Amino acid sequence: AQKITQTQPGMFVQEKEAVTLDCTYDTSDPSYGLFWYKQPSSGEMIFLIYQGSYDQQNATEGRYSLNFQKARKSANLVISASQLGDSAMYFCAMRGGGATNKLIFGTGTLLAVQP
Amino acid sequence: DTGVSQDPRHKITKRGQNVTFRCDPISEHNRLYWYRQTLGQGPEFLTYFQNEAQLEKSRLLSDRFSAERPKGSFSTLEIQRTEQGDSAMYLCASSLGSGTLSGANVLTFGAGSRLTVL
């Protein structure tokens, strides 16, 4: 069975500093995808970044980068130069093999950016 | 394209009543998903449609829950005889899908329908 673990219920970071949100996963599928979503207080899940299991390089999208360590089964999200608007819940998710694109989510990390 | 739309955004009902949520996906997306999210948890998968066919249902989807996507466009999620444990955010998402694993098939979520059962 697939599983996503996020061990940090909450994190604080100072504005303009970088922060790393942890995510570990478990799967027996040889091919899978890892995603990070942001959920502000409004409730909508916003896609941030994707990493495929066969991708050779770590994914980057603007201030977001994914530190993918396949042997350790970790896919940590790094946010550089934090902004007040980054305060939100962050969810790590995994999509396994098979025909569906169904995502399995972790429990999330609440990030608070302090001025 | 205005993204994934969900209606209503908020619903308060009494225990035992039926409720129905509607989801309008992104028009060119053939896949549609329903998730449930309770306070402090990540979204949990409920069910998935490819076009009008319901291809997967979670064990979380009891027989009081039914979902349809009659013409392969919008979808409805109905909960019959609501219970207080049904109180949650119900999220709809859509994606393209070709049956192969592809990073391009990102799930786009709606803002959710929050259900409160009194």
Side-chain angles (χ1 to χ4, degrees):
Chain A
Q2 297 177 328
K3 187 177 180 181
I4 291 284
T5 301
Q6 295 180 256
T7 57
Q8 304 157 313
M11 293 277 287
F12 286 100
V13 65
Q14 290 295 123
E15 195 177 7
K16 299 180 185 178
E17 292 187 350
V19 63
T20 298
L21 307 182
D22 294 341
C23 172
T24 57
Y25 61 91
D26 191 20
T27 182
S28 56
D29 290 326
S31 179
Y32 51 89
L34 296 157
F35 297 77
W36 279 91
Y37 281 82
K38 171 184 178 181
Q39 187 177 42
S41 56
S42 59
E44 187 168 353
M45 300 283 285
I46 301 167
F47 167 71
L48 296 178
I49 195 166
Y50 165 81
Q51 180 85 43
S53 57
Y54 292 122
D55 293 343
Q56 295 297 312
Q57 294 191 324
N58 287 346
T60 60
E61 289 286 350
R63 294 186 299 111
Y64 305 108
S65 60
L66 202 152
N67 184 2
F68 181 46
Q69 298 188 41
K70 195 171 183 177
R72 299 178 66 178
K73 294 190 174 180
S74 73
N76 299 340
L77 177 70
V78 180
I79 305 174
S80 63
S82 296
Q83 302 171 356
L84 296 178
D86 293 335
S87 294
M89 282 291 288
Y90 288 81
F91 290 97
C92 181
M94 176 169 61
R95 181 182 66 211
T100 75
N101 285 353
K102 179 179 71 178
L103 296 181
I104 305 298
F105 286 86
T107 52
T109 296
L110 180 61
L111 178 66
V113 181
Q114 297 177 314
Chain B
D1 194 343
T2 57
V4 178
S5 299
Q6 293 190 245
D7 183 69
R9 292 291 313 279
H10 302 274
K11 178 72 175 179
I12 300 173
T13 191
K14 292 182 179 179
R15 188 177 49 163
Q17 297 295 304
N18 299 344
V19 296
T20 299
F21 301 115
R22 177 181 169 123
C23 172
D24 287 89
I26 292 173
S27 56
E28 61 265 30
H29 285 181
N30 60 334
R31 295 186 173 193
L32 186 146
Y33 306 79
W34 285 99
Y35 281 80
R36 182 175 69 187
Q37 186 178 22
T38 53
L39 202 61
Q41 299 296 316
E44 297 173 295
F45 171 77
L46 292 179
T47 190
Y48 150 71
F49 290 84
Q50 179 152 329
N51 300 311
E52 67 276 9
Q54 188 174 20
L55 297 184
E56 188 172 347
K57 292 196 294 185
S58 163
R59 278 172 277 184
L60 293 174
L61 212 67
S62 76
D63 55 7
R64 296 185 297 106
F65 287 69
S66 63
E68 293 183 342
R69 195 182 183 198
K71 296 182 180 179
S73 57
F74 73 92
S75 175
T76 58
L77 176 68
E78 181 183 16
I79 309 174
Q80 295 182 325
R81 304 181 304 281
T82 51
E83 301 172 357
Q84 288 184 326
D86 297 332
S87 296
M89 175 80 87
Y90 290 85
L91 293 165
C92 176
S94 68
S95 78
L96 292 169
S98 60
T100 59
L101 190 63
S102 167
N105 295 341
V106 172
L107 268 65
T108 301
F109 283 83
S113 294
R114 183 170 295 282
L115 174 65
T116 302
V117 182
L118 302 176

